[in-house]
Amino acid sequence: MIENNNTESIKPQVKKAKMSTLSLFFMVFCLVAGGYFGLEDMVSSCGPGLAMLLILIFPFIWAIPQALYACELGSAIPDEGGIYVWVKRAFGEFWGYQVGWWRTIACYIDSAVYIVLAVAYINTFIDMSGWQSYVLKAGIILLFTYINYRGIEEVGKITTALILFVFATLAVFVVLGIANWNFNPFVPFLPQGQTLIQSLGLGIAIGVWCFCGYESIGTMAGEIDNPKGITKATLLTIPVVVLVYLLPIIFGLASYGNYADWAAEGGVSFVTIAASYGIPGIGLFFVLGAVATNLSVYNSYMASASRGFFVLSEDNLAPKLFCKINKKRGTPLNAILSMTVVNLVLVLFDFTTLVVVEVLIFMFYYLLWFLAGIALRIKEPNLERPFKIPGGLGFLIFITIAPILLCFITFFTNGASYLFIGCLGLLSGPVSYFIFKKLYGGINRVKKLSTSDKKGTVIIAVFVIFCMIISYFMYTNQSNKAGEYLNDVTPTLSQHYNVSEKSYNLSEDAFYSTLTDNANDDFNASIWFYKGSSWGDVYIGGNYKNESAFADAAFKQYEQMTANNKLLMDSITIYNDKYTFYAEYGEAYNSIEEVAAETYEVSKY
């Protein structure tokens, strides 16, 4: 009763917003997908056929169970905080806090990525200096801070407008794809030279990420006057997300092809494909679509993630300033500002390494969420559930098996660095809990750790130790294989380059060796090795007036990285500030003209 009284004394102060099912749909869509820009890497990593198959399969084994759980728990417990409240009710304060803390920290880090990406797209048309880019990033963050300060209804309106524009770009892309259909978009099924196991490892990680987020709208349920609308919006989102993912891949491949070159950055993107049709201004139109995608996701996540510290503060598990409500707007302004401050700092840095923390954290709190849904069915069978997953407890457990397996698979398929750094992120949960429990006392205002708190800490510690041992063996195995590969290719490469000893890149979880050419100061190259795959990355400085001039330099480097007319690695990218050449293992280029035919400009639009 203490917990309920404490919560109820604060929550009525939050302003309720009238939101239509359509507005809620757009918000859920943003929290899950936001659009189709960024899917390009899935095509080149998995192959066209497998990428599309995974997009069709993942709704059944990952998205639909998520959505059903979110609908059942959200309808039964439509309180501010969503997943934090659900897990707390099932497993108690300690585990509820872990989920609330992990999700909030992960989203604070992740949200800054969308600002960086949005400004990167803008930078393709407006060349900005470092400080100018930061001023723009800061301006965007402050703008969306103001929108969120005004309330959840305003967030919904802006999100709707942005996503409608993204849908407009998709409609144009489909029409242009049909008009320029030249290739079979479904072949090959796998990338050349890549096994099904290798492709699945990459595809699972991307698929899990693409269909995450159905629980996020629940964090704002206390501010929505018709929480039943969340259920309708969530279920409606599932088929729409699938179509938004599938259509641009199908029509992009059908009209442009070149699946191996697809990449959101530095390769063939949806913007590049659209610009290739030669329609004046079309490149800018799609760049703005990519910007709108990133800003819509950021807007929605600022609303969702900022509520994390708000509800923790309500329960005396975070500083009280976070649960103060702005009297004029009825919004948790201090909690929103905390995200603003963190984002203003993060966008200053290259925080790729920090982002890897999210993978393990997200999967661990998803695991707890699925288990909480089962636990509440057992503990509170008579809890009123306006939306209830049919089929009884047995069916609920059945649809949970695949998501739980995916959580464990994702733990151990993203590489040693993801596992190691993710473990450090997990440990931040119990450490911060001990601090805030000691300072504020938690729900019952008792500053002493309970037996369940200590047991929970032991469980997390044992899991972290196990994962770190696995991480060490993964790293060692990767190091040995990288060493064997470099020993094989060094004799050929050393005829033309100085080859360094192998090094390890934490954020990429890959080993690499740098190549230097004493005769060419404008040359910069490296050879990478990851999980049995190898690739080259070569930058050639200088100003090349046309593709043939660049091809001459690229052909020379290509010849020096081949043996018996075969590339020494799985793929190689040779580029400068304007042109790019890409080749795969087994391909043979016998003349400068052949290389020129495969060269494309990076910034056609």
Side-chain angles (χ1 to χ4, degrees), residues 149-161:
Y149 151 73
R150 290 180 61 85
I152 203 73
E153 193 171 357
E154 296 298 320
V155 172
K157 290 178 181 178
I158 299 299
T159 296
T160 299

Side-chain angles (χ1 to χ4, degrees), residues 316 432-442 446-449:
N316 304 305
S432 60
Y433 176 77
F434 297 157
I435 294 171
F436 291 138
K437 182 75 169 176
K438 184 69 175 177
L439 289 174
Y440 308 114
V446 177
K447 296 183 178 181
K448 184 179 179 181
L449 295 178

Side-chain angles (χ1 to χ4, degrees), residues 254-415:
S255 60
Y256 194 91
N258 295 332
Y259 78 92
D261 298 341
W262 283 36
E265 293 184 79
V268 175
S269 68
F270 291 120
V271 176
T272 317
I273 296 170
S276 71
Y277 301 134
I279 301 173
I282 196 70
L284 177 59
F285 178 68
F286 277 88
V287 165
L288 293 176
V291 172
T293 291
N294 286 290
L295 294 185
S296 68
V297 176
Y298 180 75
N299 187 36
S300 298
Y301 265 102
M302 176 170 270
S304 176
S306 64
R307 271 55 177 180
F309 282 134
F310 171 68
V311 294
L312 291 175
S313 178
E314 283 184 331
D315 285 347
N316 304 305
L317 290 168
K320 277 297 179 184
L321 64 93
F322 289 125
C323 69
K324 291 184 179 179
I325 304 297
N326 179 268
K327 293 181 180 179
K328 182 178 180 180
R329 291 290 174 180
T331 53
L333 180 59
N334 288 342
I336 294 170
L337 288 175
S338 71
M339 188 168 180
T340 302
V341 172
V342 171
N343 287 168
L344 286 171
V345 174
L346 283 180
V347 295
L348 278 168
F349 302 102
D350 176 12
F351 50 93
T352 305
T353 303
L354 292 177
V355 176
V356 305
V357 175
E358 299 174 47
V359 177
L360 193 66
I361 289 178
F362 271 123
M363 291 304 98
F364 205 79
Y365 89 63
Y366 268 105
L367 178 62
L368 285 172
W369 172 35
F370 290 128
L371 294 176
I374 296 172
L376 285 173
R377 277 284 190 99
I378 296 171
K379 290 174 63 176
E380 301 187 47
N382 297 322
L383 175 67
E384 183 180 353
R385 295 171 170 85
F387 176 89
K388 186 175 182 179
I389 299 173
L393 181 61
F395 182 72
L396 182 70
I397 294 173
F398 172 75
I399 66 169
T400 310
I401 293 173
I404 288 178
L405 287 175
L406 281 174
C407 287
F408 280 107
I409 290 171
T410 307
F411 286 155
F412 303 110
T413 56
N414 281 285

Side-chain angles (χ1 to χ4, degrees), residues 523-528 535-539 561 569 571-575:
F523 173 83
N524 183 9
S526 55
I527 303 297
W528 293 80
W535 64 96
D537 190 11
V538 180
Y539 174 81
M561 292 188 176
M569 57 222 72
S571 65
I572 185 171
T573 302
I574 303 174
Y575 64 99

Side-chain angles (χ1 to χ4, degrees), residues 60-111:
F60 296 97
I61 63 175
W62 182 244
I64 291 175
Q66 267 188 81
L68 292 176
Y69 263 77
C71 290
E72 176 168 312
L73 295 174
S75 69
I77 313 169
D79 295 337
E80 195 82 343
I83 190 170
Y84 159 72
V85 178
W86 306 335
V87 174
K88 179 182 67 173
R89 186 152 174 169
F91 299 129
E93 177 186 279
F94 176 84
W95 289 110
Y97 175 87
Q98 302 309 308
V99 166
W101 171 267
W102 289 331
R103 183 183 185 278
T104 301
I105 296 302
C107 288
Y108 272 38
I109 296 171
D110 184 50
S111 58

